[in-house]
């Protein structure tokens, strides 16, 4: 058979030209080169934060605060300034007799002269010692007594009629009695101030204790608070506004009653200054004493208002 032999010979004849290689292994493809990972790119630095604006100068804020204060002060004093303007203009325009109502500028001149020669300070000191001394005694006596009467009903029933009799008797009506019993010295003047100041403080304190919130009182009692603690935690804080209303009224009364008392048998004091100036027909000096009394009353009232606010910090404004 010649078929197999022919086939071999045909393959041999084909040789390398045939493109088919049977004696060499197949080509192995080389792996593609491994690409190294790119370097991690760092984020670009953030732009710098803008510089904080320089703080605004405090001068404009301070100026605005001063402007607000001046505006409020001008509003509060507008009526006083109007009164002073009318007082100055009326005598100069002939609307009133300048002999009996001198212009306010003349009164200011007289006040300055009294302050310069020391008379005003002497009389003011004498009046303040008497007035504030009697006022302090009245506060010490009236506040505890008012708490006692307001809290214990038997005490209120016992002293109620007596209080009604004396509180309706004017203090100045009893001035001759005080002078007869205590003389014309300092004791009678301080005593009449004490008598006049006791009643506003006493009555307002009694009313404050009686009007205490009963719910708070029952709650405090349910917590087994003792009576002193009950007074400290409930009664006294609730009574502060009404008590200080009486104290402020007593502060005004102490000055007014003292001036009247000093006009009788006194040798120093603002009441004596006013009375002596009237007798000597020194009208500007008389008005200077009156203005001084008014200024003292206003200043004393403002002081009491400040103390009341300090003692009422617990109150929540409406």
């Amino acid at each position: 058979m010649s078929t197999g032999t022919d086939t071999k010979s045909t393959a041999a004849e084909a040789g390398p030209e045939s493109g088919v290689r049977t004696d060499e292994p197949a080509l192995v493809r080389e792996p593609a080169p491994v690409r190294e990972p790119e370097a991690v790119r760092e984020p670009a630095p953030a732009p710098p934060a803008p510089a904080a604006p320089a703080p605004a100068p405090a001068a404009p804020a301070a100026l605005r605060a001063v402007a607000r204060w001046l505006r409020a002060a001008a509003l509060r004093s507008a009526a006083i300034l109007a009164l002073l303007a009318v007082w100055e203009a009326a005598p100069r325009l002939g609307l009133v007799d300048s002999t009996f109502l001198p212009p306010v500028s003349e009164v200011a001149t007289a006040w300055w002269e009294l302050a310069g020669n020391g008379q005003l300070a002497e009389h003011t000191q004498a009046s303040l010692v008497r007035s504030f001394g009697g006022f302090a005694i009245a506060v010490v006596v009236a506040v505890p007594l008012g708490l006692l009467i307001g809290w214990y009903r038997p005490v209120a029933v016992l002293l109620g009629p007596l209080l009604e009799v004396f509180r309706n008797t004017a203090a100045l009506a009893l001035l001759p009695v005080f002078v007869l019993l205590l003389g014309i010295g300092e004791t009678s003047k301080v005593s009449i101030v004490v008598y006049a100041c006791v009643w506003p403080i006493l009555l307002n304190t009694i009313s404050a204790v009686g009007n205490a919130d009963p719910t708070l009182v029952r709650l405090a009692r349910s917590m087994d608070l003792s009576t002193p603690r009950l007074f400290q935690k409930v009664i006294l804080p609730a009574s502060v506004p009404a008590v200080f209303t009486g104290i402020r009224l007593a502060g005004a009364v102490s000055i007014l009653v003292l001036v009247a008392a000093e006009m009788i048998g006194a040798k120093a004091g603002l009441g004596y200054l006013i009375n002596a100036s009237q007798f000597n027909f020194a009208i500007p000096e008389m008005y200077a004493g009156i203005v001084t009394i008014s200024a003292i009353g206003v200043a004393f009232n403002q002081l009491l208002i400040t103390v009341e606010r300090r003692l009422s910090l617990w109150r929540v404004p409406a």
Side-chain angles (χ1 to χ4, degrees):
M1 292 177 62
S2 61
T3 304
T5 307
D6 295 339
T7 303
K8 292 180 180 179
S9 60
T10 303
E13 290 176 0
E17 291 82 2
S18 62
V20 179
R21 301 182 64 179
T22 58
D23 56 347
E24 294 181 5
L27 296 176
V28 178
R29 179 177 294 179
E30 296 182 358
V34 179
R35 298 177 62 185
E36 297 182 0
E38 296 182 359
V40 178
R41 182 176 298 176
E42 296 182 357
L63 291 177
R64 287 194 296 269
V66 172
R68 286 195 299 268
W69 182 86
L70 291 176
R71 187 163 51 249
L75 182 62
R76 288 194 299 267
S77 59
I80 300 297
L81 295 177
L83 174 62
L84 295 178
V86 172
W87 187 358
E88 179 69 23
R92 296 190 181 279
L93 296 176
L95 301 179
V96 295
D97 191 347
S98 59
T99 303
F100 303 107
L101 184 63
V104 68
S105 57
E106 295 184 11
V107 175
T109 302
W111 187 92
W112 186 258
E113 291 177 356
L114 290 173
N117 58 29
Q119 295 185 38
L120 186 64
E122 177 186 357
H123 294 301
T124 302
Q125 180 181 359
S127 293
L128 291 181
V129 169
R130 296 164 183 161
S131 178
F132 290 171
F135 172 80
I137 295 173
V139 171
V140 171
V141 171
V143 172
L145 185 59
L147 294 175
L148 183 66
I149 295 174
W151 185 253
Y152 294 104
R153 185 168 297 275
V155 180
V157 172
L158 176 64
L159 298 180
L162 188 63
L163 296 180
E164 289 296 326
V165 170
F166 281 101
R167 80 182 185 92
N168 290 296
T169 304
L172 294 179
L174 296 176
L175 180 58
V177 178
F178 281 93
V179 172
L180 290 175
L181 296 178
L182 303 174
I184 61 174
E186 298 297 317
T187 306
S188 62
K189 298 176 180 59
V190 174
S191 299
I192 193 68
V193 172
V194 172
Y195 178 85
C197 293
V198 159
W199 302 112
I201 303 174
L202 181 63
L203 297 177
N204 278 273
T205 304
I206 294 173
S207 175
V209 174
N211 293 329
D213 191 348
T215 303
L216 294 178
V217 175
R218 288 195 298 268
L219 180 61
R221 289 190 180 280
S222 67
M223 299 174 64
D224 295 330
L225 290 182
S226 61
T227 299
R229 295 286 292 174
L230 177 63
F231 265 86
Q232 178 185 359
K233 297 297 184 180
V234 178
I235 302 300
L236 288 180
S239 303
V240 165
V243 171
F244 263 89
T245 300
I247 290 176
R248 289 170 57 188
L249 292 173
V253 169
S254 67
I255 298 176
L256 299 178
V257 172
L258 177 65
V259 170
E262 288 177 341
M263 292 181 176
I264 302 175
K267 295 182 179 180
L270 293 173
Y272 169 78
L273 173 64
I274 295 172
N275 201 32
S277 300
Q278 179 191 7
F279 280 123
N280 296 327
F281 212 72
I283 304 302
E285 286 79 1
M286 181 188 73
Y287 282 104
I290 295 173
V291 170
T292 303
I293 291 173
S294 300
I296 292 174
V298 171
F300 190 33
N301 184 65
Q302 291 299 318
L303 175 62
L304 294 177
I305 291 175
T306 303
V307 175
E308 178 184 0
R309 289 174 178 172
R310 293 295 300 272
L311 294 177
S312 302
L313 295 177
W314 56 272
R315 298 173 64 189
V316 178

